[in-house]
Amino acid sequence: MTRILVVDDSPMDRRLVTGMLNKRSDWATETAENGAVAFELLGPGKLPDLVLTDMQMPEMNGLELVRAVKRDFPGLPVILMTAQGSEALAVKALQVGADSYVPKALLA
């Protein structure tokens, strides 16, 4: 079973994203309300198969989470998503180590 950690400070967006992902019977989701909480959930033996994170969040934003994950768990794929996206942000996300970038409007 593929495990996906969805990180977003908006409860509504977390429900929307997990609802889309949970349509696949072979995917399981876990959620966190910001990057700091998400990073605390990570550790040896507890890693998901993918982290899907929002950009704008309190305490630790998406770019900071990408940096921390890639520093401590370099093989863990991270996709950054945001509602206020731009080409510049996509480039920045990839530069700090994100494996991909997707505007929330195109997430489905």
Side-chain angles (χ1 to χ4, degrees), residues 62-103:
L63 289 178
E64 293 166 334
L65 178 58
V66 169
R67 283 187 193 105
V69 167
K70 291 304 179 174
R71 179 192 66 225
D72 291 1
F73 310 101
L76 178 57
V78 182
I79 297 174
L80 189 78
M81 60 180 174
T82 186
Q84 292 92 25
S86 67
E87 278 189 31
L89 180 56
V91 169
K92 180 68 173 173
L94 295 172
Q95 286 174 337
V96 300
D99 293 279
S100 190
Y101 167 91
V102 61

Side-chain angles (χ1 to χ4, degrees), residues 7-105:
V7 188
D8 199 311
D9 61 322
S10 165
M12 180 185 299
D13 285 352
R14 283 195 308 269
R15 280 192 304 273
L16 288 171
V17 172
T18 57
M20 282 188 273
L21 296 172
N22 287 334
K23 288 180 182 178
R24 295 275 311 255
S25 62
D26 56 338
W27 291 358
T29 56
E30 183 175 3
T31 63
E33 61 268 16
N34 63 53
V37 171
F39 195 70
E40 289 177 15
L41 294 174
L42 304 177
K46 307 189 295 184
L47 290 180
D49 296 295
L50 171 70
V51 175
L52 180 59
T53 183
D54 188 25
M55 173 57 195
Q56 299 296 328
M57 298 179 292
E59 295 188 46
M60 178 187 275
N61 70 35
L63 289 178
E64 293 166 334
L65 178 58
V66 169
R67 283 187 193 105
V69 167
K70 291 304 179 174
R71 179 192 66 225
D72 291 1
F73 310 101
L76 178 57
V78 182
I79 297 174
L80 189 78
M81 60 180 174
T82 186
Q84 292 92 25
S86 67
E87 278 189 31
L89 180 56
V91 169
K92 180 68 173 173
L94 295 172
Q95 286 174 337
V96 300
D99 293 279
S100 190
Y101 167 91
V102 61
K104 284 185 178 178

